[in-house]
């Protein structure tokens, strides 16, 4: 199959994060010839070392990367499949070329746990010009498009999580100093934090400082800039700042942590695949629409009430509940229950076909009907 994936970076890193992961998964896993069109190569370069932000065209990871500029190369025309991520509208000239070949046209939607997704997944939209666009919804059930998960992920994760030396060697390679690694070795809880500026991080630091079990914090550079001040308090957890790393190393970071605070869409799913307790900060939307999406996911997430309460507090900092909620969720019995639920959540999701397999099958079916 020859496919074009179109990605417009709205903000943050999730749009390119999802598209890059999908492109690599289809190129490597399904052997597709993938052309990935990206408008903002600077954001791409932040999460993928080796990306040249000025290059009109480059190859990386078996993917042909096209800078989606205002004047796309007219020689680049539609082939078998067009994947439009998050309704980003491919260039008009490219859509003209689609009218000549009538490719499978997929609109890859944002992830939601809401029930209506199942009834919309896979539906066609017939356009006046004769082209048909199909809506492909990621999701948590077999009645959706599923979630991206590479084969062999569980085994690689289990190997790393079973070895403190492997983990500390990896963290040392990211610049984490020996004092922090020693604390981990002595049983400190490792907390990773990837959040939006609105997250109540001071309350988190306060609760971790008060907790019987010491913690260490691993935080990417630029995230929660006020954290250095909060962690300067007596007995506060030491803070290790990390560089932005490529997605496979970001996965390894999540696997090294006991508790992962994540955000958006892609890191949220990658933390689930770490099979460890996670706190999700959902991408904020107007009129609190994001809280409905959060509740829809919490209804599926089999963690104890104390974990649900912490996740809600984290997404509604104005309620001032975070510090108390952290203490309750980390209490030994609650923590054990949450850890078991995290393993169950990963295993139950791992049993479903991954999004790339579902997408490849979906496009193969469409090709048969052409
Ligand atoms: O960056 P985000 O907040 O992106 C968001 C969401 O995708 C949201 O759905 C979307 O509406 C909004 O953008 C526009 O969070 P997310 O989804 O976790 O994407 C971050 C990506 O960055 C993810 O693929 C992981 C990757 N990453 C790395 O590869 N290395 C790193 O060091 C870090 C910190 C992140």
């Amino acid at each position: 199959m020859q496919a074009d994936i179109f990605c417009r970076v709205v903000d943050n890193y999730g749009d390119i994060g999802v598209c890059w992961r999908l492109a690599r998964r289809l190129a490597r896993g399904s052997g597709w010839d993938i052309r990935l069109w990206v408008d903002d190569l600077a954001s791409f370069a932040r999460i993928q070392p080796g990306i040249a932000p000025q290059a009109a065209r480059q190859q990386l990871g078996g993917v042909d990367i096209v800078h989606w500029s205002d004047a796309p190369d007219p020689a680049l025309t539609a082939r078998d499949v067009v994947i439009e991520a998050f309704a980003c509208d491919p260039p008009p000239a490219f859509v003209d070329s689609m009218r000549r070949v009538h490719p499978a046209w997929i609109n890859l939607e944002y992830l939601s746990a809401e029930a209506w997704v199942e009834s919309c997944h896979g539906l066609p939209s017939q356009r006046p010009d004769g082209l048909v666009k199909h809506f492909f919804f990621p999701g948590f059930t077999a009645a959706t498009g599923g979630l991206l998960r590479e084969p062999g992920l569980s085994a690689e994760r289990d190997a790393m999580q079973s070895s403190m030396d492997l983990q500390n060697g990896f963290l040392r390679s990211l610049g984490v100093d020996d004092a922090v690694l020693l604390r981990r070795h002595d049983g400190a809880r490792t907390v990773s934090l990837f959040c939006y500026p609105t997250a109540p991080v001071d309350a988190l630091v306060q609760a971790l400082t008060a907790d019987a079990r010491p913690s260490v914090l691993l935080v990417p550079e630029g995230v929660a800039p006020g954290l250095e001040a909060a962690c300067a308090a007596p007995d506060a957890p030491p803070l290790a700042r990390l560089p932005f790393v490529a997605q496979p190393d970001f996965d390894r970071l999540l696997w090294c942590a006991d508790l992962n605070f994540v955000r958006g869409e892609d890191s949220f799913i990658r933390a689930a695949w770490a099979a460890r307790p996670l706190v999700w900060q959902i991408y904020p939307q107007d009129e609190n629409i994001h809280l409905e999406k959060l509740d829809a996911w919490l209804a599926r997430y089999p963690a104890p009430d104390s974990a649900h309460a912490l996740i809600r507090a984290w997404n509604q900092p104005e309620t001032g509940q975070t510090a108390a909620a952290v203490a309750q969720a980390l209490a030994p019995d609650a923590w054990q229950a949450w850890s078991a639920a995290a393993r169950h959540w990963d295993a139950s999701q791992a049993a479903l076909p991954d999004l790339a397999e579902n997408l490849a099958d979906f496009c193969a079916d469409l090709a048969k009907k052409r």
Side-chain angles (χ1 to χ4, degrees):
M1 285 282 205
Q2 296 187 303
D4 287 89
I5 301 176
F6 288 89
C7 174
R8 199 183 291 283
V9 177
V10 171
D11 64 9
N12 301 309
Y13 305 100
D15 301 299
I16 182 57
V18 169
C19 292
W20 179 225
R21 192 181 300 286
L22 175 62
R24 293 199 329 275
R25 182 85 181 78
L26 288 171
R28 290 214 187 121
S30 309
W32 286 22
D33 165 355
I34 297 289
R35 213 160 40 195
L36 173 61
W37 301 61
V38 187
D39 61 347
D40 175 356
L41 290 176
S43 293
F44 194 176
R46 282 281 273 152
I47 66 166
Q48 182 52 63
I51 288 289
Q54 310 307 328
R57 202 70 184 274
Q58 57 196 299
Q59 311 286 327
L60 199 68
V63 175
D64 177 359
I65 296 157
V66 178
H67 178 223
W68 182 358
S69 65
D70 295 338
D73 180 348
L76 303 182
T77 57
R79 301 167 308 166
D80 303 314
V81 178
V82 176
I83 298 170
E84 174 187 352
F86 317 125
C88 64
D89 288 332
F94 190 89
V95 176
D96 286 344
S97 77
M98 290 168 68
R99 291 190 191 97
R100 293 194 291 275
V101 296
H102 282 261
W105 185 1
I106 304 294
N107 191 69
L108 178 65
E109 296 286 339
Y110 282 116
L111 173 62
S112 172
E114 294 159 301
W116 59 264
V117 163
E118 293 191 339
S119 55
C120 294
H121 172 59
L123 290 188
S125 165
Q126 177 80 40
R127 290 167 35 119
D129 63 3
L131 286 173
V132 181
K133 188 189 296 193
H134 284 81
F135 294 93
F136 198 89
F137 283 83
F140 298 92
T141 73
T144 69
L147 299 167
L148 283 169
R149 184 180 184 123
E150 299 74 18
L153 180 138
S154 302
E156 199 186 331
R157 175 202 61 209
D158 293 347
M160 187 162 213
Q161 290 186 334
S162 63
S163 164
M164 175 62 78
D165 288 346
L166 263 181
Q167 294 169 43
N168 278 355
F170 167 70
L171 293 175
R172 187 177 289 111
S173 76
L174 298 189
V176 178
D177 68 36
D178 285 347
V180 171
L181 300 179
L182 195 58
R183 281 180 178 238
R184 276 175 34 91
H185 206 275
D186 293 346
R189 174 192 300 112
T190 300
V191 180
S192 82
L193 179 64
F194 180 50
C195 60
Y196 296 114
T198 53
V201 296
D202 286 357
L204 171 62
V205 170
Q206 179 195 335
L208 292 177
T209 304
D211 191 70
R213 184 182 177 195
S215 294
V216 299
L217 269 167
L218 306 179
V219 189
E221 62 201 10
V223 173
L227 216 47
E228 271 75 3
C231 289
D235 303 325
L239 164 63
R241 282 283 179 188
L242 308 174
F244 264 57
V245 294
Q247 288 179 317
D249 279 345
F250 185 67
D251 279 349
R252 295 185 183 100
L253 166 60
L254 296 173
W255 298 345
C256 290
D258 300 294
L259 172 60
N260 288 302
F261 285 76
V262 286
R263 74 186 205 191
E265 175 167 328
D266 192 58
S267 63
F268 162 51
I269 292 308
R270 306 314 288 186
W273 298 168
R276 292 277 166 81
L278 69 89
V279 175
W280 177 35
Q281 189 181 10
I282 191 167
Y283 183 72
Q285 289 180 285
D286 300 336
E287 290 107 47
N288 280 346
I289 294 171
H290 60 294
L291 296 181
E292 289 167 28
K293 290 178 183 291
L294 181 69
D295 282 341
W297 174 73
L298 286 173
R300 298 179 189 276
Y301 185 51
D305 290 348
S306 52
H308 283 202
L310 169 51
I311 294 165
R312 286 199 168 91
W314 187 249
N315 283 276
Q316 294 172 278
E318 65 282 359
T319 61
Q321 296 297 311
T322 296
V326 170
Q328 278 142 32
L330 298 188
D333 291 350
W335 176 252
Q336 288 311 317
W338 193 5
S339 298
R343 289 191 292 272
H344 172 72
W345 177 241
D346 168 67
S348 64
Q349 290 295 314
L352 297 169
D354 105 300
L355 185 142
E357 291 160 51
N358 289 333
L359 184 61
D361 293 347
F362 188 82
C363 291
D365 288 347
L366 290 180
K368 283 181 204 136
K369 294 171 193 161
R370 262 168 63 182

